[in-house]
Amino acid sequence: MPEPRPRVWVSQPLFEDQIERLREYFDVAATPEVRAYSEDEIAAALAPLDGALVTLNERIGPGQIDAAPRLRAIANVGVGYNNLDIEALASAGIVATNTPDVLTETTADFGFALLMATARRITESERWLREGRWQQWSFQNMLGADLHGSTLGILGMGRIGQGIARRASGFDMRVLYHNRSRLPAHTERALQAHYVGFEELLASADHLMLVLPYSGQTHHIIDAAALARMKPAATLVNIARGGIVDEAALAIALATGELAAAGLDVFEEEPAVCAELLALRNVVLTPHIASASFTTRRAMVALAVDNLVAALGRGPNAGSPPNPIRA
Ligand code: DGY
């Protein structure tokens, strides 16, 4: 008797041709519509499976894997993986993978777009124009902050942070960064980036870009005290994870003029956005789209498929998925 084909689940609609690649090796249950799952629904979906391709929407921990004895691989479509309890997966012998590299440049492009939109008040002025409020050109209308010649602070200097730094040099910005570990001197030189302590980064940045991974250690690292150390004219941009910023404290800082403006692509309780932020004019809000270019989203799915196929012992890299996440 031939061995039964492994069974895998694709939790959200992705690209059909990539799902076909999975069908070469597996019996695939693909989800036709974007949907939100309860914790129990995820547990029920995983219970009979060998593997799954999931997105940041699906939170997977002990409660989701305990009743899934066959489960051997979870391929996350995304570089961030705070939706997965990596320790729990590892101790159950389940390989988890993510999709680094392929989204670095697109995400860094977007970080810059969000920074420019925020500092130069692009969405705010478009809203104002569409509301019919433009009666006459005026000299002091919609004054914003320059990027060129300013100091950019980057918190988190992994691949995406370095992509931001490369773009900043084209804008003649002085780049400061803070990271868990300092970059080698030759990389700092190539990026023209200077390492500083966290406090100095906060105090010196005209624009602060958050690009660090989210964890228990970085939860609300940008809180009321951190915001108070920033320059009142500064811009804050978050393209990492919402939980890094205390959104209630940020809304107060933006409303009271303690901080000039913020650009947020990520939120603590996505897709919900806190009402205080929605009410402010000096914040640009986007729905977690930093990696959302056609090319990059396709590349992310293709890489997640490569990871799942290999993690389940099939295809050219059988047994060696390209991007295992180490516990
Ligand atoms: C990631 O990859 O972590 C992004 O946030 C989703 O594209």
Side-chain angles (χ1 to χ4, degrees):
M1 273 245 301
E3 238 187 272
R5 278 155 62 91
R7 295 172 68 182
V8 306
W9 177 51
V10 180
S11 64
Q12 301 287 342
L14 301 170
F15 297 99
E16 203 37 54
D17 56 330
Q18 295 301 325
I19 294 177
E20 280 306 317
R21 289 183 53 217
L22 289 175
R23 290 202 172 98
E24 285 176 33
Y25 304 100
F26 310 127
D27 283 347
V28 180
T31 311
E33 275 166 19
V34 175
R35 54 162 302 192
Y37 301 93
S38 68
E39 293 182 356
D40 289 348
E41 285 173 323
I42 295 177
L46 294 178
L49 299 177
D50 298 277
L53 198 82
V54 301
T55 69
L56 56 84
N57 295 300
E58 288 74 57
R59 289 176 185 272
I60 300 178
Q64 286 62 54
I65 59 177
D66 282 353
R70 304 170 52 88
L71 195 61
R72 283 182 290 138
I74 299 284
N76 207 42
V77 189
V79 66
Y81 49 82
N82 57 299
N83 54 315
L84 305 180
D85 183 335
I86 296 299
E87 304 274 324
L89 293 177
S91 50
I94 299 167
V95 175
T97 62
N98 68 339
T99 61
D101 299 316
V102 291
L103 48 66
T104 300
E105 300 303 329
T106 297
T107 304
D109 282 352
F110 186 86
F112 240 83
L114 191 52
L115 171 58
M116 296 183 83
T118 307
R120 295 301 305 272
R121 305 173 67 175
I122 290 176
T123 54
E124 179 190 354
S125 52
E126 193 201 359
R127 263 195 315 274
W128 183 83
L129 179 153
R130 286 178 188 269
E131 285 163 7
R133 295 168 64 188
W134 190 19
Q135 303 301 326
Q136 185 183 321
W137 186 86
S138 85
F139 201 71
Q140 298 223 9
N141 194 23
M142 295 287 166
L143 303 181
D146 279 326
L147 261 63
H148 74 270
S150 68
T151 296
L152 174 66
I154 303 177
L155 184 56
M157 200 53 144
R159 304 173 185 86
I160 300 171
Q162 293 179 35
I164 298 283
R166 284 194 300 277
R167 283 156 179 79
S169 64
F171 277 80
D172 253 336
M173 297 171 96
R174 173 173 163 248
V175 177
L176 305 180
Y177 78 97
H178 181 74
N179 197 40
R180 261 179 315 187
S181 46
R182 191 170 171 171
L183 296 174
H186 63 91
T187 312
E188 284 188 351
R189 263 196 311 279
L191 295 171
Q192 295 175 48
H194 308 278
Y195 181 83
V196 292
F198 179 55
E199 307 283 320
E200 190 180 339
L201 187 82
L202 295 173
S204 310
D206 297 309
H207 308 286
L208 179 63
M209 180 82 66
L210 307 179
V211 217
L212 65 169
Y214 180 56
S215 67
Q217 285 79 54
T218 61
H219 175 75
H220 286 193
I221 193 171
I222 302 297
D223 58 5
L227 291 164
R229 287 191 193 99
M230 292 180 66
K231 297 180 183 176
T235 307
L236 176 74
V237 174
N238 189 3
I239 55 168
R241 284 293 182 266
I244 289 167
V245 176
D246 178 341
E247 290 173 351
L250 175 63
I252 293 172
L254 290 166
T256 56
E258 203 181 310
L259 188 72
L264 307 174
D265 185 48
V266 286
F267 304 90
E268 190 157 9
E269 298 296 337
E270 291 176 13
V273 177
C274 96
E276 289 80 4
L277 287 173
L278 283 170
L280 291 169
R281 56 146 198 88
N282 51 345
V283 55
V284 180
L285 305 166
T286 52
H288 203 147
I289 55 168
S291 64
S293 75
F294 288 108
T295 309
T296 291
R297 285 283 165 91
R298 284 189 63 79
M300 290 167 70
V301 175
L303 186 52
V305 168
D306 291 347
N307 276 310
L308 188 57
V309 169
L312 290 176
R314 301 292 196 276
N317 300 317
S320 303
N323 311 108
I325 302 168
R326 317 252 173 237

